[in-house]
Each structure stands twice: as C-alpha cells, then as structure tokens.
Amino acid sequence: MRRYDPRWLIVVGANLLLWWLVGLANNALTSSAVHLYVGGLFVVYSSLRLDRKHGLIAILLTGLLVDAVEPVPFGTSMVLLGLVHATLLYGRQRFPREGAVFGIVVALFANLFLVIVLSFLLVGHNPRPGAAWLRIFVDLLASQLFLVLITPWFLALQDRAMELVAIHPETGRRVQI
C-alpha cells in the first residue's frame, strides 16, 4: 500500500507563512519606502534537504502562488525559482546540506540572482527606469540584511515541522520520536 508523503506540502506551507510575514513587514515599512524580497530563501530548504521530486513540486507551487499576488507576468517566479532550484540540485552533492551558515550563503546568492533578473525584466515598465536602479539597490541591500537575520530561523522552522510529522526530509521515511 502506498502511503502519502507530505514533505512538499510542509515546505509550501512554510514558504506561504514566510511570504505572509514578509508581506506584513513590507506593509509596516511602507512609510520608509523600502520593500523586502526574500525569494531566494524559498529555494534553500527544498534544494538542499528534500529529494528532487518533492523539492521541485514545492518550488513550482510556491512560484505559482507568488505569481498569483505579485505584479509580474504569470509564471515568471515559477520559472525563476525552478531555475535556481535546478542549479542548486546540480551541485548539491558538493555542498554541505545542513547548517545555517551555508543556508544563509545560498539564500543570499539566490536572492541576489532573483532580484537582478526581475529588475532587468521589469525595470522597463517604470516611468523613469534610470531612477529606479537606486531604489532597487536599496531594496536589495535591505532584503539581504533581512535574509541574514531570518534564514537560520526559517531553516529551523522547516526542520522542526518535519520533526513534528516525524518524517526525515531527505528520505521521506518515518522517524521514531
């Protein structure tokens, strides 16, 4: 009998929680005209800890859910997150998979890539594209500092969620509590 494996659902749920919390932070920061973007953090746990199938499902669903509320062409975040996920999967055997320090580094580089690509794709829609780059740089700097602070918490949250359902994140096997 085949049993249900909820690893992808746990990661998508944690990603949605993070997306909601960052939305609340962005709402609180509207008076200072700073926007936080944490797309790079969505791929870290899925790419480093989950197997290929469940990680890809979690990333693609997260990308579609982000696309549903962001002002980008539908599918943009899904494709970009999938590209980052595939890149991390390619070199995953050479990376240390556990630990917050490497997770922070991966999140910072992934977020940098995503912000740069999204900026080049969308800056033409700005009425003053030349003036937008300083704003993008400030937002990127604030986002990277925010990522350094929350990445250890977010990785620990996902590890703890896997412990609560007693599933090993890489194998999907039940673990004894």
Side-chain angles (χ1 to χ4, degrees), residues 66-132:
V66 168
D67 281 335
V69 295
E70 287 294 311
V72 296
F74 195 71
T76 304
S77 296
M78 181 189 74
V79 169
L80 291 176
L81 290 176
L83 180 65
V84 172
H85 177 72
T87 304
L88 289 172
L89 280 179
Y90 178 72
R92 174 163 108 160
Q93 276 63 34
R94 291 175 241 138
F95 298 150
R97 293 186 189 185
E98 296 182 16
V101 174
F102 189 72
I104 291 171
V105 171
V106 170
L108 290 174
F109 278 119
N111 205 56
L112 176 66
F113 170 76
L114 291 169
V115 168
I116 289 172
V117 170
L118 284 171
S119 299
F120 276 107
L121 287 175
L122 302 174
V123 78
H125 299 293
N126 194 313
R128 295 177 43 208

Side-chain angles (χ1 to χ4, degrees), residues 40-55:
L41 188 52
F42 293 144
V43 298
V44 174
Y45 194 84
S46 298
S47 299
L48 296 180
R49 297 295 306 273
L50 295 183
D51 64 320
R52 295 175 189 274
K53 179 180 123 184
H54 289 92

Side-chain angles (χ1 to χ4, degrees), residues 153-175:
W153 166 79
F154 189 61
L155 294 176
L157 172 79
Q158 290 178 318
D159 276 334
R160 182 68 180 138
M162 293 292 179
E163 286 176 17
L164 286 175
V165 293
I167 289 181
H168 190 270
E170 293 177 24
T171 63
R173 293 189 182 116
R174 296 280 176 193
V175 292

Side-chain angles (χ1 to χ4, degrees), residues 9 19 24 60 63 66 68 122 135 137 141 148 159 168 170 175:
L9 186 60
W19 191 251
L24 290 176
L60 294 180
V66 168
L122 302 174
R135 166 76 189 256
F137 178 72
L141 185 62
V148 168
D159 276 334
H168 190 270
E170 293 177 24
V175 292

